[in-house]
């Protein structure tokens, strides 16, 4: 891999400069191939809707790893803008809300993408740290929540937005058809307790910790104003979203916080 320049790292994949103004997202060798194919197909569909997202070019192999070649986008993550220019936090948080609202404003996408409730149920059933009774209660509760078929990102947060000549939304692996309130609940949860990738500079981690409540507050205020959703609509999805997140590659510290949120809310009947 010496001939390729590393330009980004994450928990599941590394990003390298590629050829002809493209990048290649190379996944860890243990990462499921089906999930890579899924990201490629979802990204193609989202791109076809006219959403500002990098064009997915092809799935390929490099250095014994599978990757997706994407059009290269030059820009700075919204997270980096927030942490380097905290005096503009309200502006950037409002941008986050507007982008998310615009995603949810697309027409019905049922039949095109995976179903939100189906994805959540699958992950809840696999969730470590929850017992069988807790899983059954959470799934029964989830089934009672309103079902919709809007385009949802599934992992929308400031590090998945690039700002350059245009504002670009990346990482559509978890794209699905569902209720926007559940998608917003996921974002609110990430803004509340989501841990930064290990490779993030400590200064950035410290800054995010200080700013996260303000980002969340402004983001939710504007999203609710544009969408007409009430905070209770969003809060009602926190339990299943938190339970499903337990299946992800997370530090033990975050898993403990998720378990605490789930069990407190279950005991309160919400």
């Amino acid at each position: 891999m010496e001939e390729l320049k590393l330009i980004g790292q994450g928990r599941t994949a590394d990003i390298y400069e590629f050829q002809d103004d493209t990048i290649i997202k190379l996944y860890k060798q243990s990462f499921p191939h089906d999930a890579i194919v899924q990201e490629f197909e979802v990204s193609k569909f989202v791109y076809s809707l006219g959403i500002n997202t990098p064009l997915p070019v092809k799935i390929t192999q490099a250095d014994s790893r599978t990757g997706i070649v994407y059009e290269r986008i030059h820009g700075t993550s919204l997270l980096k803008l927030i942490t380097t220019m905290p005096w503009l936090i309200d502006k950037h948080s409002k941008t986050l809300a507007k982008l998310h609202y615009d995603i949810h404003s697309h027409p019905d996408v049922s039949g095109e993408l995976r179903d939100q409730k189906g994805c959540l149920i699958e992950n809840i059933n696999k969730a470590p740290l929850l017992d069988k009774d807790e899983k059954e209660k959470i799934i029964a509760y989830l089934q009672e929540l309103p079902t919709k078929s809007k385009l949802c990102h599934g992992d929308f947060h400031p590090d998945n937005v690039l700002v350059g000549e245009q504002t670009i939304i990346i990482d559509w692996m978890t794209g699905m058809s569902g209720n926007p309130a559940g998608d917003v609940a996921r974002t609110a949860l990430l803004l509340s307790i989501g841990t930064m990738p290990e490779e993030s500079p400590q200064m950035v981690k410290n800054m995010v910790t200080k700013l996260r409540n303000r980002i969340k507050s402004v983001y939710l205020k504007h999203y609710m104003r544009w969408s007409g959703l009430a905070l209770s609509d969003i809060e009602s999805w926190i339990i299943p979203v938190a339970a499903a997140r337990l299946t992800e590659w997370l530090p033990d510290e975050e898993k403990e916080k998720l378990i605490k949120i789930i069990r407190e809310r279950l005991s309160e009947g919400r």
Side-chain angles (χ1 to χ4, degrees):
M1 192 51 64
E2 294 178 358
E3 70 276 12
L4 298 182
K5 179 182 177 183
L6 180 68
I7 56 176
Q9 289 181 294
R11 289 188 179 125
T12 61
D14 303 315
I15 311 296
Y16 295 86
E17 287 184 345
F18 205 52
Q19 55 200 18
D20 301 324
D21 206 25
T22 59
I23 58 96
I24 183 168
K25 182 177 182 179
L26 282 181
Y27 295 83
K28 311 296 185 185
Q29 289 186 332
S30 60
F31 198 76
H33 182 76
D34 288 352
I36 299 172
V37 174
Q38 175 181 292
E39 176 172 348
F40 182 72
E41 294 300 330
V42 173
S43 298
K44 282 201 304 182
F45 174 72
V46 170
Y47 185 86
S48 76
L49 295 177
I51 291 174
N52 285 340
T53 191
L55 171 67
V57 179
K58 63 180 178 179
I59 297 176
T60 190
Q61 298 281 326
D63 195 32
S64 302
R65 295 160 68 184
T66 303
I68 300 177
V69 177
Y70 283 101
E71 163 194 18
R72 183 165 188 178
I73 301 296
H74 297 278
T76 303
S77 80
L78 196 60
L79 178 65
K80 186 173 182 179
L81 291 178
I82 289 171
T83 55
T84 55
M85 295 184 289
W87 55 90
L88 294 177
I89 187 171
D90 286 8
K91 173 187 174 182
H92 295 316
S93 301
K94 183 177 180 180
T95 295
L96 189 71
K98 183 62 166 62
L99 291 170
H100 212 180
Y101 175 69
D102 287 346
I103 289 172
H104 297 150
S105 298
H106 280 266
D108 188 301
V109 294
S110 58
E112 299 289 348
L113 300 174
R114 299 176 305 154
D115 171 69
Q116 180 185 51
K117 285 188 176 180
C119 293
L120 291 172
I121 289 170
E122 180 181 348
N123 287 336
I124 291 166
N125 277 322
K126 294 177 182 176
L129 308 178
L130 293 175
D131 61 36
K132 182 181 177 182
D133 183 57
E134 287 172 327
K135 291 177 183 180
E136 288 177 352
K137 286 180 180 178
I138 295 168
I139 291 171
Y141 170 82
L142 170 62
Q143 296 284 31
E144 296 299 317
L145 293 175
T147 298
K148 293 187 179 180
S149 302
K150 292 293 187 178
L151 176 64
C152 295
H153 185 281
D155 193 31
F156 191 75
H157 54 76
D159 214 23
N160 277 341
V161 175
L162 298 180
V163 180
E165 291 184 5
Q166 294 181 304
T167 304
I168 306 293
I169 302 166
I170 62 172
D171 283 354
W172 285 91
M173 179 188 294
T174 50
M176 60 185 71
S177 166
N179 190 324
D183 208 29
V184 174
R186 162 86 179 193
T187 299
L189 190 67
L190 293 175
L191 292 174
S192 297
I193 65 166
T195 50
M196 299 287 293
E198 293 178 6
E199 64 277 2
S200 300
Q202 189 60 46
M203 182 182 71
V204 173
K205 292 180 181 179
N206 293 342
M207 185 65 73
V208 170
T209 299
K210 292 179 179 178
L211 299 178
R212 62 167 73 237
N213 286 336
R214 182 63 184 178
I215 300 169
K216 176 184 171 183
S217 174
V218 176
Y219 157 79
L220 286 175
K221 180 185 74 173
H222 288 292
Y223 186 91
M224 290 188 293
R225 179 164 61 86
W226 290 321
S227 67
L229 284 178
L231 184 59
S232 58
D233 298 324
I234 297 164
E235 287 283 322
S236 66
W237 285 83
I238 292 291
I239 292 176
V241 166
R245 183 158 167 76
L246 287 169
T247 62
E248 299 173 33
W249 299 357
L250 302 174
D252 290 342
E253 176 189 0
E254 185 172 350
K255 288 184 178 180
E256 290 169 4
K257 290 179 181 178
L258 289 168
I259 284 292
K260 183 179 180 182
I261 289 170
I262 293 164
R263 289 180 175 155
E264 284 180 351
R265 287 173 178 254
L266 282 176
S267 68
E268 295 168 0
R270 60 187 181 98

